[in-house]
Amino acid sequence: MQYFLESCPEFPKTASGKLGNNRVNIMLRNPIYAGYIEYKPWGVSLRKGQHEGIISYETFLKIQERLEGRAYAPTRKDLNLDFPLRGSVSCVCGNALTSCWSKSETGKRHAYYLCQNRQCEYKGKSIRRDVIEGEFEALLKQLTPTRNLMAVASDMFKTLWEHRKATLVTRRKTLKQECNDAQRKIDQLLDRIVDADSPLVAKALEKRIEELQSKKLVIEEKLSRCGRPLKTYDEMYRTSLRFLQEPHKIWACGRFEDKRVVLKLTFTDRLTYVRNEGYRIPELSLPFKLLGYNSGQNMLMVPRGGIEPP
């Protein structure tokens, strides 16, 4: 979030053009962006605001869990825009390839990928960027499914869309019941607070009520979304089908962020590049496995055995 806001020229920043961690932390903890208001110094408890949130309350709670939970590794700063494959391709030794610019005697700059593993026989031996990235685009083109497979995938998405449309009524009924159950528990706890003699018990009950109220807000938010009309099939699955059908076009025409998404959604692990040979057979993500990998091999059905039923 910090890097995104710093990249937006219209967002107010300091003279250095940076945002402090404290400012970002305050923004992430402010429920106003989820459509709610709260100000404990004035005794204003969490409640629905008169404005529309830019994120859901459920997303806001997930952010709080991340902030209170264990630390996550920060975004790598060495993923240079000039080298989208950096960190995603490894040498035959298993070490991730790094990248650099080199200047010739004429002053012309050249882009390279290379291995920096001291134990590797190819240590310091560079590979031209246009070669390794060109072969990667060729690899993506091989992942293009056949028309028949894409037709099957489209039918599967349509079946899923129809199923979701049919289950909206049942989902809404279930959410209403969960909301009523949460309110009933809150009422029961309020009665117990009135009868409580110990301040510690009353405080514990108040904490439990806050948790139930937060849970109820999430349910009410889901309930409000459940009542909205379902998007059309084209609106929901157009981008997904386009990605499965033409990942190489998204890579060739997309932004740096789009290219990183292609890498994450297409392959489950780093690609291994062998000099003078190219990429080894990659480990594909589940959607591409199901659609079939056009590796140039002849695919045949396994013949039926003698004991299997017809």
Side-chain angles (χ1 to χ4, degrees):
M1 177 180 174
Q2 179 180 354
Y3 299 142
F4 172 76
L5 293 177
E6 288 177 349
S7 65
C8 298
E10 63 275 11
F11 191 83
K13 296 177 281 290
T14 61
S16 63
K18 301 293 183 180
L19 288 177
N21 292 335
N22 185 55
R23 185 178 177 186
V24 175
N25 186 62
I26 292 175
M27 293 175 64
L28 291 174
R29 295 181 183 276
N30 194 343
I32 195 171
Y33 299 108
Y36 293 81
I37 58 173
E38 180 184 37
Y39 194 66
K40 293 182 179 180
W42 289 1
V44 179
S45 59
L46 185 69
R47 63 194 65 186
K48 182 69 177 176
Q50 299 299 318
H51 63 287
E52 184 178 355
I54 58 177
I55 62 172
S56 67
Y57 185 67
E58 185 178 14
T59 300
F60 173 77
L61 292 180
K62 289 181 179 179
I63 293 173
Q64 307 316 301
E65 292 177 1
R66 290 284 296 270
L67 293 174
E68 299 297 336
R70 63 185 180 87
Y72 287 79
T75 303
R76 288 183 54 178
K77 295 183 179 181
D78 61 348
L79 293 176
N80 193 285
L81 299 179
D82 298 327
F83 301 96
L85 289 179
R86 181 168 180 167
S88 299
V89 179
S90 62
C91 179
V92 288
C93 67
N95 191 64
L97 294 179
T98 185
S99 54
C100 69
W101 284 95
S102 178
K103 185 179 293 186
S104 64
E105 295 180 355
T106 60
K108 187 177 180 180
R109 300 175 73 223
H110 300 274
Y112 295 99
Y113 286 88
L114 66 158
C115 178
Q116 296 285 24
N117 182 11
R118 295 181 179 179
Q119 311 300 325
C120 180
E121 60 177 312
Y122 298 109
K123 195 265 180 184
K125 296 182 179 180
S126 57
I127 309 169
R128 294 204 318 271
R129 183 182 62 178
D130 58 338
V131 171
I132 191 171
E133 293 186 2
E135 293 184 12
F136 178 76
E137 289 191 32
L139 176 63
L140 285 179
K141 290 180 181 179
Q142 295 179 17
L143 301 181
T144 303
T146 64
R147 290 184 178 181
N148 291 337
L149 284 173
M150 285 306 303
V152 171
S154 181
D155 290 340
M156 291 172 61
F157 280 127
K158 285 181 180 178
T159 301
L160 176 62
W161 180 78
E162 292 290 346
H163 175 73
R164 290 190 61 187
K165 186 177 179 180
T167 57
L168 278 177
V169 177
T170 304
R171 177 61 174 162
R172 184 173 179 82
K173 184 178 180 180
T174 302
L175 289 173
K176 281 185 176 180
Q177 184 61 45
E178 292 179 359
C179 188
N180 293 334
D181 292 343
Q183 184 59 51
R184 186 178 66 255
K185 291 179 181 179
I186 291 174
D187 294 338
Q188 293 174 352
L189 291 173
L190 288 173
D191 293 337
R192 292 179 61 184
I193 288 179
V194 174
D195 298 333
D197 297 328
S198 171
L200 293 177
V201 173
K203 188 174 182 180
L205 292 174
E206 289 175 355
K207 183 177 180 181
R208 178 57 180 157
I209 289 175
E210 289 182 359
E211 294 174 353
L212 286 171
Q213 286 177 335
S214 179
K215 179 180 178 181
K216 184 185 174 185
L217 288 175
V218 173
I219 296 174
E220 289 176 343
E221 189 176 71
K222 290 181 179 179
L223 194 57
S224 64
R225 293 201 303 266
C226 190
R228 298 175 185 174
L230 193 67
K231 292 182 179 179
T232 65
Y233 167 77
D234 187 62
E235 289 175 331
M236 291 190 68
Y237 297 111
R238 178 181 57 224
T239 303
S240 300
L241 288 172
R242 178 172 174 263
F243 170 72
L244 292 174
Q245 190 172 9
E246 301 174 327
H248 61 283
K249 289 188 177 180
I250 298 178
W251 172 270
C253 304
R255 304 169 302 163
F256 174 79
E257 294 79 6
D258 297 330
K259 293 184 177 183
R260 299 300 300 181
V261 170
V262 169
L263 283 166
K264 289 182 179 180
L265 296 183
T266 308
F267 308 101
T268 60
D269 203 354
R270 282 178 181 166
L271 298 162
T272 301
Y273 186 81
V274 183
R275 286 167 172 77
N276 302 322
E277 294 183 21
Y279 290 93
R280 289 180 176 172
I281 297 178
E283 185 65 28
L284 300 175
S285 60
L286 182 60
F288 286 97
K289 283 184 178 179
L290 294 177
L291 290 174
Y293 172 41
N294 183 17
S295 61
Q297 301 174 354
N298 293 325
M299 302 295 182
L300 300 174
M301 293 294 293
V302 177
R304 182 179 296 173
I307 62 174
E308 292 86 352

